[in-house]
Amino acid sequence: MPSRRSALTLLAGGSAALVLGAAPTAHAHGPRLPFGRYGSPSRRLDAATLYVDARGRGDHTGVQAAVDAATGTGRTLVIAPGTYRETVDIPADRTGLTLIGASGDPHDTVIVYANANGTPRPDGSGTYGTSGSATITARPDGLTAHGLTFANDWLRADHPEYTGTQAVAIKVQGDRSAFYGCRFLGHQDTLYADSLALTAFARQYYRDCYVEGDVDFVFGRATAVLDRCHFRTLTRTDLGAKPYGFVFAPSTAGANPHGYLVQRSRVTSTAPDGYFKLARPWVPSSDLTAHPMLTVRDSHLGAGIDTDEPYGTMSAGFPWQEQRFAEYRNTGPGARVTIPANRPRLTASQARLHTPAAWLGDWRPYA
């Protein structure tokens, strides 16, 4: 049975910086330059910038403490390399907040915790639930993150008695939220791309990011563009048959014309060929009018995707065939069309309407 430490190290690709319990390192910048080109408390870039370093060389040793101090709008947190084992809750009034991993390499700076849906709350008030399990909850509009890893290293194998095994790495709810070169590590429900309310069509953009997991590991009701991202499906030792899980589980509000748009991306797998499905629709009990939407286009789908039945149904009464699922010009063994009825595809004219510009409107984080 893998320990939490070995599991996170494995998920991180073996980077020594991610061995839990080890002292954070400054890596290539050296011990006196934990913030690299972003200054320091003694030579601050501007009054709106705060510095986080677990070794005490910044304004704060923890990310939540820095968030608490970053009142107002347009603040920047520069986070030194290290592993920050904590939960972080970013209030909605921290609009325009920017989070920067100082080294530029997301392997170096990790925010991680280990709560699951079924984890009991310390005050005895019940369990955390899916949303409460999130290592990071990001509510503000205009949030931007660069070069960071967001992780939840809770493991099913450590708690076989749990039935609530969702364990969110990050829940993003704000409009105009953008992530560049970030990593999202977990198993079930890794990246919760959501909104603050059913009527809030939060726009989000993820570019050059890495996301891994097994069950529904990109899910929620946001209007999200995932551009040039790598999605990695993980093998499971607790199951003896397929499917092991699903990459996407959108819960798009029925009134929202845009759900998830995945483009120029790739899906790879550590599991046997055909053991994962590309998506299934999530129609939550809180919104039975949801009409999940997903477009995957111009992407490479590896052999881990089940080509005969690439989509599944989560809840009876809401079959995937009645949702807004489509593909366009995908390649790779997982994109092979074996049963045309199970592979809805856009025409060229329809595809011209499935673009970042159509999804994001007057907000252009990709420009």
Side-chain angles (χ1 to χ4, degrees):
M1 179 182 299
S3 69
R4 186 182 306 147
R5 174 181 297 190
S6 65
L8 183 58
T9 303
L10 177 64
L11 292 178
S15 170
L18 295 181
V19 177
L20 301 186
T25 60
H27 296 264
H29 299 299
R32 295 183 181 179
L33 296 172
F35 306 108
R37 62 188 178 90
Y38 296 103
S40 68
S42 63
R43 49 188 186 91
R44 202 176 300 273
L45 293 184
D46 54 55
T49 300
L50 295 175
Y51 297 90
V52 183
D53 176 45
R55 287 182 169 179
R57 295 166 294 181
D59 299 302
H60 303 277
T61 58
V63 180
Q64 184 64 61
V67 168
D68 292 343
T71 56
T73 63
R75 303 299 296 272
T76 297
L77 305 185
V78 180
I79 307 172
T83 299
Y84 298 83
R85 178 162 286 279
E86 58 178 308
T87 58
V88 178
D89 192 327
I90 307 176
D93 62 3
R94 267 56 169 184
T95 54
L97 180 68
T98 298
L99 308 177
I100 298 174
S103 77
D105 184 343
H107 292 79
D108 292 345
T109 307
V110 183
I111 306 170
V112 58
Y113 209 72
N115 283 330
N117 179 327
T119 302
R121 292 181 180 273
D123 62 5
S125 61
T127 60
Y128 280 102
T130 298
S131 291
S133 74
T135 299
I136 303 95
T137 302
R139 297 182 173 89
D141 292 343
L143 176 75
T144 304
H146 298 266
L148 293 165
T149 291
F150 305 97
N152 189 319
D153 62 347
W154 185 89
L155 295 174
R156 296 185 186 94
D158 290 344
H159 297 280
E161 75 280 9
Y162 282 26
T163 56
T165 58
Q166 298 87 348
V168 177
I170 187 169
K171 181 174 184 177
V172 185
Q173 296 180 283
D175 185 38
R176 294 174 289 104
S177 298
F179 294 80
Y180 301 94
C182 290
R183 301 167 77 238
F184 306 91
L185 309 182
H187 287 270
Q188 183 171 355
D189 292 8
T190 305
L191 170 56
Y192 195 170
D194 205 48
S195 69
L196 285 170
L198 291 177
T199 55
F201 301 160
R203 295 166 295 174
Q204 299 173 14
Y205 183 68
Y206 302 82
R207 190 175 74 197
D208 298 320
C209 291
Y210 173 88
V211 193
E212 69 177 29
D214 47 45
V215 179
D216 305 333
F217 63 93
V218 181
F219 75 113
R221 63 172 174 250
T223 297
V225 174
L226 300 114
D227 189 9
R228 300 191 321 211
C229 292
H230 179 188
F231 305 94
R232 183 77 160 167
T233 63
L234 302 177
T235 195
R236 294 183 61 176
T237 58
D238 59 318
L239 294 179
K242 62 180 183 181
Y244 278 176
F246 309 80
V247 182
F248 305 102
S251 58
T252 320
N256 190 351
H258 302 118
Y260 287 174
L261 172 63
V262 180
Q263 67 166 19
R264 303 187 296 177
S265 295
R266 60 187 171 122
V267 178
T268 64
S269 183
T270 64
D273 292 356
Y275 267 56
F276 271 87
K277 297 189 183 298
L278 189 59
R280 63 178 178 175
W282 177 32
V283 179
S285 59
S286 59
D287 181 20
L288 297 179
T289 65
H291 194 192
M293 182 182 191
L294 167 70
T295 297
V296 181
R297 61 171 299 169
D298 301 299
S299 295
H300 186 274
L301 307 182
I305 298 300
D306 180 350
T307 55
D308 289 343
E309 297 182 357
Y311 301 101
T313 293
M314 185 182 299
S315 303
F318 303 100
W320 74 262
Q321 293 89 343
E322 296 181 4
Q323 313 309 322
R324 297 175 285 177
F325 285 2
E327 299 178 55
Y328 181 68
R329 224 162 46 182
N330 294 321
T331 59
R336 187 165 57 93
V337 179
T338 57
I339 303 175
N342 288 346
R343 213 86 205 219
R345 285 165 289 171
L346 299 174
T347 65
S349 60
Q350 289 171 332
R352 286 193 285 271
L353 302 176
H354 292 242
T355 65
W359 254 241
L360 304 178
D362 61 357
W363 179 50
R364 298 178 63 85
Y366 49 87

